[in-house]
């Protein structure tokens, strides 16, 4: 059974994880003051650099070594606990990073969708995974690579001084807060619980040593880091098969061979795997398969969900589209954008890049709707190196990149994979119905 969305040219997932965060500054302050080093931190950093011994390193165990399976329930509990006792500064920092990652995410998604082929399935991108991957490399970078990554993340370095430098630990901590607020509020007000699990895979050539502080520093972004070594050069395709099999065995996530080949001469692969699971309260699964149009001429049979209730809705007569906000929690939603005619499918995607989604949301108003939509299982993978090349930054993580905080060895970064698995189903306990398909 092909999941709904498997043949879509593009699918945009908008999780408004910062919707409940206070973001307005009452007085003018440096817009990035919460993300850069403070003067006291700079003084401590300078002192530590002068006194600290050489950073400890370690070699990775072979990929055949066993490890504990990923416990997604425990990961969710960790995220929820991280939101308890948050201070105002933590929320402001998360709000700032939320805006930055969405700006970069939409920019990169547009490039991804332009180069995506229909045969490749759905183009799906997680702004959090993308931003977190780049911030992780920033954490392991030295100049000039660090300065270039900082600028690409959206924080200009006004000078070469320490207080203008991005604090990578603060950024990754803010990402942790964003993810925590998303899942913590997902179970509020009677809504089904949300799960958001992030796993990073670090795969190196045998004998390469990684620095312990770098790997430990990834924990806020990805509590589970899988570090393994294997031969990446003799048979790149075989290496990719081993990595795919290892990740699936540890996570249990069924992804369609996300990695193919590892790139010639690679000594380090940095792969980010994200799984989002949500359930729709008040929706039930229709009996049998229903037709779902994926383009102007093609309909595929898919499982469909149906629910009746009051949703935030808006019909845009000027652009011949309508949109419906389906809540997944207090701080997350699914925004469904539908063309009024089949010929408008391409137009929907074009409009999505010309409008601010938050502005669109302001136009929504309550409306009683009987809504039908596919039971969604969207999955996709892309190589961040390809997107950087499209952004005219092909060497940012290339052979000349200075990643001295990751390893003292000469690194050659291969593919930087981002894999996303998005699953949305009816809430448990809802029985299949024979309700006919109706449109909003």
């Amino acid at each position: 059974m092909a999941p709904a969305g498997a043949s879509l040219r593009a699918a945009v997932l908008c999780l408004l994880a910062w919707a409940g965060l206070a973001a307005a500054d009452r007085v003018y302050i440096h817009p990035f003051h919460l993300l850069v080093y403070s003067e006291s931190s700079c003084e401590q950093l300078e002192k530590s650099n002068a006194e600290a011994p050489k950073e400890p390193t370690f070699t990775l165990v072979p990929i055949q070594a066993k490890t504990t399976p990923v416990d997604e329930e425990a990961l969710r509990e960790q995220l929820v606990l991280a939101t308890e006792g948050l201070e105002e500064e933590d929320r402001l920092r998360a709000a700032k990073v939320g805006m930055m990652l969405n700006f970069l995410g939409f920019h990169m998604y547009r490039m991804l969708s332009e180069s995506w082929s229909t045969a490749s399935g759905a183009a799906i991108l997680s702004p959090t995974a993308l931003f977190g991957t780049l911030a992780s490399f920033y954490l392991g970078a030295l100049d000039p690579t660090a300065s270039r990554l900082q600028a690409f993340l959206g924080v200009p370095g006004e000078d070469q001084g320490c207080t203008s430098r991005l604090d990578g630990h603060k950024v990754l901590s803010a990402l942790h807060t964003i993810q925590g607020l998303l899942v913590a509020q997902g179970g509020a007000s009677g809504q089904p619980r949300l799960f958001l699990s992030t796993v990073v895979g670090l795969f190196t050539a045998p004998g390469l040593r990684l620095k312990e502080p770098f790997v430990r520093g990834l924990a806020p972004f990805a509590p589970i880091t899988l570090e393994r070594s294997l031969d990446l050069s003799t048979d790149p395709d075989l290496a990719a098969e081993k990595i795919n099999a290892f990740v699936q065995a540890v996570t249990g996530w069924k992804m369609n061979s996300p990695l193919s080949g590892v790139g010639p001469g690679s000594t380090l692969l940095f792969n980010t795997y994200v799984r989002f699971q949500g359930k729709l309260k008040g929706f039930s699964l229709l009996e049998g398969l229903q037709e779902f149009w994926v383009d102007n001429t093609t309909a595929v049979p898919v499982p469909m969900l149906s629910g009746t209730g009051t949703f935030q809705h808006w019909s845009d007569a000027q652009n011949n589209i309508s949109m419906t906000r389906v809540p997944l929690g207090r701080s997350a939603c699914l925004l469904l954008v539908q063309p009024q005619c089949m010929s408008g499918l391409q137009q929907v995607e074009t409009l999505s890049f010309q409008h601010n989604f938050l502005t669109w949301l302001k136009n929504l108003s309550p409306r009683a709707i009987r809504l039908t939509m596919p039971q969604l299982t969207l999955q996709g993978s892309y190589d961040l190196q390809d997107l950087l090349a499209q952004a005219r930054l092909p060497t940012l993580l290339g052979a000349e990149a200075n990643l001295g905080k990751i390893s003292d060895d000469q690194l050659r970064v291969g593919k930087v994979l981002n894999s996303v698995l998005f699953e949305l189903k009816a809430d448990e306990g809802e029985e299949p119905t024979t309700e006919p398909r109706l449109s909003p």
Side-chain angles (χ1 to χ4, degrees), residues 204-417:
T204 70
L208 189 142
R209 304 188 70 85
L210 297 182
K211 293 188 174 181
E212 291 182 8
F214 167 74
V215 177
R216 287 199 307 268
L218 300 178
F221 168 54
I224 301 295
T225 304
L226 306 173
E227 308 113 7
R228 290 294 186 271
S229 66
L230 72 161
D231 184 353
L232 298 173
S233 57
T234 302
D235 190 339
D237 290 332
L238 177 60
E241 290 178 10
K242 290 182 177 180
I243 291 173
N244 290 336
F246 170 73
V247 172
Q248 181 167 336
V250 174
T251 63
W253 303 347
K254 296 180 180 179
M255 294 184 173
N256 296 329
S257 300
L259 181 64
S260 58
V262 297
S266 303
T267 61
L268 171 67
L269 303 182
F270 190 112
N271 297 345
T272 302
Y273 306 91
V274 176
R275 184 189 189 191
F276 176 86
Q277 301 174 79
K279 293 181 179 179
L280 294 173
K281 183 179 180 181
F283 279 71
S284 57
L285 180 66
L286 295 177
E287 286 188 347
L289 302 180
Q290 310 290 322
E291 281 192 343
F292 179 70
W293 291 86
V294 297
D295 58 33
N296 298 343
T297 59
T298 308
V300 295
V302 300
M304 296 288 278
L305 307 177
S306 178
T308 302
T310 301
F311 299 92
Q312 296 292 316
H313 181 81
W314 178 47
S315 292
D316 184 351
Q318 180 179 356
N319 293 303
N320 292 318
I321 60 173
S322 65
M323 57 196 68
T324 305
R325 182 184 185 275
V326 182
L328 301 177
R330 277 210 313 261
S331 58
C333 70
L334 191 68
L335 186 62
L336 305 177
V337 185
Q338 179 182 10
Q340 301 296 343
C341 57
M342 284 296 181
S343 61
L345 285 173
Q346 181 66 38
Q347 181 190 14
V348 169
E349 185 176 335
T350 302
L351 287 171
S352 68
F353 295 116
Q354 295 175 350
H355 291 75
N356 185 322
F357 272 102
L358 294 180
T359 301
W360 271 358
L361 290 175
K362 293 178 181 178
N363 294 321
L364 301 177
S365 59
R367 177 177 170 183
I369 296 175
R370 180 177 293 171
L371 180 66
T372 56
M373 59 176 288
Q375 177 173 282
L376 293 176
T377 299
L378 299 173
Q379 58 178 304
S381 300
Y382 59 89
D383 182 4
L384 185 52
Q385 296 279 36
D386 292 339
L387 292 185
L388 291 174
Q390 287 181 252
R392 300 181 181 179
L393 293 169
T395 63
L396 185 58
L397 298 177
E400 302 303 318
N402 188 345
L403 301 172
K405 291 184 179 180
I406 298 180
S407 175
D408 289 326
D409 299 335
Q410 183 63 41
L411 290 177
R412 186 177 181 89
V413 181
K415 292 187 176 182
V416 181
L417 193 74

